Amino acid sequence: MKIAILGRGQVGQTLGSAWSASHDVVFGSRTPNSDGERSMSEAASWADVVVLTTPSSAVTAEFIGSLPLSGKIVVDATNPIKADFSGVDPDGPNVGALAPDARVVKAFNSIGVDLMANPRFPDGNAALLVASDDEEAKATVIALGEEIGFEGVDAGGWSAFRNLENAAWLWISLSMKHGRGIGFKFMTR
Ligand SMILES: NC(=O)c1ccc[n+]([C@@H]2O[C@H](COP(=O)([O-])OP(=O)(O)OC[C@H]3O[C@@H](n4cnc5c(N)ncnc54)[C@H](OP(=O)(O)O)[C@@H]3O)[C@@H](O)[C@H]2O)c1
């Protein structure tokens, strides 16, 4: 699969390096260097799956509108955490609305980057909450998560995206008390 990671920060580099073992991964950057990086737009144009790992403040209508995302699976891993670090901004960007022609999936946002490098725990694999209206795209993203050690959990349609952002805030709050080596576990019976 051809995966473009937009934003070569902590999350982008961690997911990119995890997937590069079995996929073609390209980084899209505002300032591409000579190390195989492309512009954000070039990377998105090349890819089957585009992963947004920029700050939420960068996810504007202008930025999303500048990217060739039509028909592509777009994974939104961003969180609009308020500037005063008091919670999730309820007016943060809605990527599903900004990219109506894309197959938008919310995922990889509700756990810390440390976990993305290794989501395996002695009692099982950490849950990866995934939301989308596109069932096929959701299944693809769940498979991408399970490849790197998560247990994919279908969290519903795209309208659940804010729930997943609030789950990220819960993870952040818990990590301040218990450290960043924590994950959510999903149990059913
Ligand atoms: N850190 C975590 O544990 C974690 C976990 C889950 C989700 N998230 C979410 O994932 C996103 C990235 O987090 P991060 O920790 O990886 O952040 P980060 O290390 O600051 O990386 C963000 C990257 O986005 C790009 N970027 C910065 N400003 C931009 C702008 N104005 N326009 C376009 N691109 C810009 C930069 O890459 P270039 O310089 O290459 O363009 C930067 O390296 C955030 O929305 C965060 O809420 C973070």
Side-chain angles (χ1 to χ4, degrees):
M1 199 167 285
K2 295 196 282 189
I3 303 176
I5 311 264
L6 304 191
R8 196 172 194 166
Q10 294 185 75
V11 171
Q13 291 195 50
T14 303
L15 290 176
S17 111
W19 283 323
S20 60
S22 39
H23 299 280
D24 293 330
V25 175
V26 155
F27 288 94
S29 172
R30 293 166 301 168
T31 51
N33 62 24
S34 54
D35 192 20
E37 287 183 355
R38 305 185 189 183
S39 71
M40 300 248 183
S41 196
E42 284 167 345
S45 171
W46 164 87
D48 306 312
V49 176
V50 178
V51 189
L52 283 178
T53 69
T54 64
S56 181
S57 56
V59 183
T60 59
E62 188 188 3
F63 174 59
I64 297 296
S66 73
L67 300 171
L69 299 179
S70 183
K72 295 181 188 286
I73 296 177
V74 174
V75 181
D76 174 20
T78 68
N79 286 311
I81 303 300
K82 289 182 189 167
D84 64 1
F85 207 64
S86 61
V88 173
D89 179 355
D91 298 319
N94 176 343
V95 177
L98 294 175
D101 298 332
R103 308 168 69 193
V104 182
V105 181
K106 192 84 182 180
F108 300 102
N109 72 298
S110 59
I111 28 76
V113 67
D114 330 51
L115 218 57
M116 297 176 204
N118 179 13
R120 296 177 177 89
F121 287 77
D123 293 339
N125 296 355
L128 179 73
L129 304 176
V130 183
S132 179
D133 289 338
D134 184 319
E135 295 299 329
E136 201 179 276
K138 182 157 54 180
T140 298
V141 174
I142 285 176
L144 283 171
E146 294 194 336
E147 273 176 31
I148 60 176
F150 283 101
E151 180 191 0
V153 177
D154 184 341
W158 173 256
S159 62
F161 78 97
R162 213 60 96 191
N163 287 349
L164 269 58
E165 291 170 352
N166 284 305
W169 182 249
L170 176 62
W171 189 94
I172 291 166
S173 307
L174 289 168
S175 74
M176 289 189 280
K177 190 167 179 61
H178 301 282
R180 292 180 63 88
I182 57 169
F184 296 124
K185 187 165 167 54
F186 189 65
M187 290 184 281
T188 53
R189 66 178 171 190

